[in-house]
Amino acid sequence: MATKLLRRFIKTNKAPAAIGPYNQAVAVGETVYVSGQIGLDPDSGSMVEGGFEAEAHQVFKNIGAILESSGLTYNDVVKCTVLLASMDEFQTLNAIYGSYFKSNYPARAAYQVAALPKNARVEIECIAVKNMTDE
């Protein structure tokens, strides 16, 4: 008989509540799937002001809060998907991204999209894994 994996739904008030029918993250076994985060302030529920850089930093703060509530850190992230309203922001995003992921960078894909929720300029989702070691 196959072993069933436990599925847990991750919710924290330190990150914005979902704005649709989804959870902030879902953990299955040792893997945590973090839903796409945009630059929403978790307290006000509004987009942060201050341009692309402020939005991007808020995205990473939101991801960090969700990871923390799962007992994880940025070091546990193995894959990110980045959605940008404009590829003109790609280099700026790389600089900000590098301030959160210092080494042993996760795999990543980045796409320009026609539109994002709440007119966001960036959305990032990620996958993290507990209890892993580097080779």
Side-chain angles (χ1 to χ4, degrees):
M1 177 179 253
T3 302
K4 291 198 177 219
L5 295 174
L6 176 66
R7 178 174 60 168
R8 293 181 299 111
F9 301 100
I10 310 299
K11 296 178 185 173
T12 177
N13 60 4
K14 294 180 181 179
I19 58 175
Y22 60 91
N23 286 288
Q24 292 169 327
V26 176
V28 178
E30 299 290 307
T31 305
V32 176
Y33 302 88
V34 178
S35 294
Q37 296 297 305
I38 59 175
L40 287 176
D41 178 286
D43 295 324
S44 70
S46 299
M47 292 294 292
V48 295
E49 296 182 12
F52 180 84
E53 291 185 25
E55 275 189 48
H57 280 291
Q58 188 63 50
V59 165
F60 283 107
K61 289 176 189 173
N62 295 343
I63 289 170
I66 295 167
L67 291 170
E68 180 182 345
S69 74
S70 304
L72 299 168
T73 70
Y74 286 107
N75 290 331
D76 299 305
V77 174
V78 296
K79 172 75 166 76
C80 289
T81 302
V82 177
L83 306 173
L84 294 165
S86 172
M87 278 297 191
D88 293 342
E89 305 287 5
F90 186 72
Q91 292 305 323
T92 302
L93 175 74
N94 276 340
I96 295 168
Y97 188 95
S99 70
Y100 292 88
F101 296 105
K102 308 258 189 239
S103 64
N104 296 327
Y105 305 111
R108 183 179 84 176
Y111 306 95
Q112 180 173 316
V113 296
L116 291 167
K118 303 243 180 208
N119 294 315
R121 297 181 200 179
V122 59
E123 179 175 359
I124 300 174
E125 66 177 16
C126 66
I127 301 168
V129 179
K130 291 182 182 182
N131 299 321
M132 65 175 176
T133 61
D134 291 334
E135 190 173 53

